[in-house]
């Protein structure tokens, strides 16, 4: 039986720009210049919780979270990493991987709801996406 | 060379009650009756980020996060799980595993900073800890 297709939740699509596909997850860049912020979405249908993933996918997700964290740390030299799977508003499983600075708009609070999103300057965004693709080894 | 000893950060100790030790993590119950909320702390010295863990420890942490999530879901019948490693205030690596309800004090926002903590009634707390120990297979 073919696997059911994967659809990205429209709210996640609206708030991000695509970076590329890792073996499990679609990697997205949050369009909020306040923080370097990746969102990883496992390309599996109908998954809400981490514990809904098959064991091999759960292991792959951990590795991809770490790869995203290392990419953010290397590229942005951020001072702290925040990793979270919340999903209270958008139910499709997605993991936030966020680089934090002591000078950022929300520090030391979590980022959600702390400051209005600031859309990236397109040239800055495109340069960041290119660096992320190189660090993650993905094509656009 | 013997491994450096593990010390629980005093802020984590102050905000929680011990549940028990999993193979990697000390499992703690947040003393906030607003939400069923476990905190997992890898018993390794000087670890701040998920990506600081050795690969075997990182894999173990993923499994222990899932075990904590399943225990909370089974015991509390919560409607959503929130999992997060933030550490902006307390630097020692710790992972929040929180059961959420549509009726809870913060829904749908994240829990941090949303509502003042309400200390458990001791008998309720002790009963919850006993149930958690049984679900997680740990001694107190």
């Amino acid at each position: 039986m073919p696997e059911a297709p994967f659809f990205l939740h429209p709210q996640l699509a609206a708030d991000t720009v695509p970076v590329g596909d890792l073996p499990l997850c679609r990697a997205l860049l949050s369009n909020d210049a306040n923080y370097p912020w990746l969102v990883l979405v496992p390309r599996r249908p109908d998954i809400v919780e981490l514990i809904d993933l098959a064991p091999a996918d759960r292991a792959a997700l951990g590795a991809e979270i770490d790869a995203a964290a290392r990419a953010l740390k290397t590229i942005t030299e951020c001072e702290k990493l925040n990793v979270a799977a919340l999903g209270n508003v958008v139910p499709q499983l997605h993991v936030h991987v966020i680089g934090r600075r002591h000078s950022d708009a929300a520090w030391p609070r979590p980022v959600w709801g702390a400051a209005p999103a600031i859309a990236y300057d397109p040239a800055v965004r495109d340069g960041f996406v290119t660096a992320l693709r190189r660090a993650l080894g993905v094509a656009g």
Side-chain angles (χ1 to χ4, degrees), chain A:
Chain A
M1 195 173 73
E3 193 174 21
F6 165 76
F7 295 103
L8 184 65
H9 190 287
Q11 190 65 54
L12 294 175
D15 293 343
T16 67
V17 296
V19 175
D21 281 358
L22 295 160
L24 176 65
C25 293
R26 182 151 301 167
L28 306 163
L29 175 66
S30 175
N31 189 21
D32 183 353
N34 282 304
Y35 327 92
W37 180 346
L38 289 168
V39 179
L40 300 181
V41 186
R43 297 193 310 282
R44 297 285 183 263
D46 304 323
I47 300 284
V48 172
E49 304 285 4
L50 293 171
I51 56 175
D52 294 338
L53 288 168
D57 285 349
R58 181 68 178 87
L61 178 58
E64 294 182 8
I65 289 169
D66 290 5
R70 289 193 175 95
L72 287 178
K73 190 171 178 181
T74 300
I75 296 168
T76 72
E77 298 180 336
C78 56
E79 293 158 335
K80 186 72 192 72
L81 292 158
N82 287 178
V83 175
L86 304 177
N88 303 339
V89 177
V90 173
Q92 181 176 53
L93 178 62
H94 59 287
V95 180
H96 303 275
V97 185
I98 309 162
R100 303 296 308 273
R101 294 185 178 283
H102 302 167
S103 59
D104 74 30
W107 186 267
R109 290 167 295 152
V111 301
W112 303 277
I118 299 172
Y120 276 98
D121 172 271
V124 171
R125 180 198 64 206
D126 292 351
F128 192 22
V129 168
T130 298
L132 287 164
R133 284 178 181 155
R134 190 174 303 128
L136 292 169
V138 298

